Amino acid sequence: MDLTTLPLNITEWLHPTAWLQLFGTFATIGVLAIIFAETGLLFGCILPGDSLLFTAGILTAVSTVNGQEFQPLSLPWLLIGGPIAAIAGAQLGHWLGARYGRKLFERPDSRIFKQEWVEKAEHYFNRFGPAKAVVLARFIPIVRTFLNPLAGMLGMDAKRFFIWNAIGGVLWTDALFLLGHFLGSEVPDIEKYILPGVAVILVLSVIPIIREVLKGRKADHGPNKNGPEESRPSLSGDSYR
């Protein structure tokens, strides 16, 4: 592979094809490695997620994107390896949160870390409860990186976390792989629609979140709004109760 052909503008690395071009013949392994890093390591929040999975699915059906040749990817390997990488990464994140606790998040803002990202993950954890939050976070960029260690820090049971982590990991990875593969097989010149397709996916992924938020607001204004509230975890507390 000729490294001189790679994009030099850092913003271009947000496009998944740049990563797939870099990985070359090891593209399938590279995709799995990014899935693991994005869900298990804090710096993974800057890596492509939905767009990479969607594009990888497309490249199981086509080998040319915008005039560039790519190594064809194996759909069966992605469908098997993707969920495994996502589940393993999230379990690592949960373990790190349980092991290191608050210290994991006590760092100043930088280009690859913002305290507001942790607060956003905490919001979803509190709003939906541990089970729903672990699944729904898979479909929300950045939140899916920080919610896993947050769940560990707040004391979510490892076995319970694993169950919902596995459900979310399979739904997230395989749905995007299969969607990309289907569109790559059926839509001519699909490469022109990669970014618009990712935008549509992001919009669809937040619909359940919006529904839950509206449902929660309605419940807050219901007849029991003055009653005792269910104990919820927070960064100011010690554990999930």
Side-chain angles (χ1 to χ4, degrees):
M1 178 180 174
D2 185 4
L3 294 179
T4 61
T5 64
L6 293 177
L8 299 180
N9 188 334
I10 190 170
T11 59
E12 294 184 44
W13 288 104
L14 298 177
H15 198 292
T17 55
W19 290 92
L20 294 170
Q21 186 183 6
L22 174 63
F23 293 139
T25 56
F26 300 99
T28 299
I29 297 176
V31 169
L32 301 183
I34 286 184
I35 292 174
F36 177 86
E38 196 202 7
T39 55
L41 305 173
L42 294 186
F43 72 83
C45 64
I46 65 174
L47 298 174
D50 301 316
S51 59
L52 180 69
L53 272 62
F54 181 61
T55 304
I58 290 175
L59 289 178
T60 62
V62 302
S63 59
T64 303
V65 176
N66 296 330
Q68 294 181 336
E69 291 289 334
F70 288 86
Q71 182 74 19
L73 303 184
S74 169
L75 181 62
W77 277 110
L78 290 177
L79 293 177
I80 296 172
I84 293 175
I87 294 168
Q91 288 296 139
L92 173 62
H94 180 275
W95 179 84
L96 290 173
R99 174 66 176 82
Y100 296 102
R102 189 182 307 279
K103 293 186 295 184
L104 198 63
F105 302 104
E106 289 180 343
R107 57 184 67 192
D109 286 353
S110 65
R111 290 186 178 182
I112 63 173
F113 179 83
K114 303 289 184 184
Q115 282 291 339
E116 65 182 82
W117 297 342
V118 181
E119 294 170 2
K120 184 179 294 186
E122 182 193 11
H123 166 76
Y124 288 115
F125 196 89
N126 290 335
R127 167 61 70 177
F128 306 123
K132 283 186 179 180
V134 170
V135 175
L136 293 175
R138 287 292 190 178
F139 299 90
I140 309 174
I142 297 179
V143 172
R144 62 172 157 258
T145 301
F146 288 95
L147 189 131
N148 302 317
L150 182 74
M153 189 196 77
L154 295 175
M156 184 176 180
D157 179 72
K159 291 182 179 179
R160 187 185 184 200
F161 178 83
F162 174 78
I163 293 172
W164 294 105
N165 170 32
I167 293 173
V170 172
L171 290 175
W172 176 54
T173 56
D174 284 357
L176 289 173
F177 286 144
L178 290 172
L179 178 62
H181 176 78
F182 173 77
L183 294 178
S185 302
E186 301 295 330
V187 179
D189 300 322
I190 184 60
E191 66 271 11
K192 298 179 181 178
Y193 307 103
I194 290 179
L195 291 183
V198 170
V200 171
I201 292 171
L202 290 176
V203 171
L204 293 177
S205 69
V206 301
I207 290 178
I209 307 297
I210 295 175
R211 290 180 59 187
E212 291 291 342
V213 170
L214 294 176
K215 187 188 301 183
R217 289 180 177 176
K218 183 177 180 180
D220 291 341
H221 292 84
N224 297 324
K225 64 179 179 179
N226 294 323
E229 294 183 357
E230 179 185 358
S231 177
R232 288 293 192 188
S234 77
L235 289 175
S236 60
D238 296 325
S239 64
Y240 172 70
R241 298 184 297 276

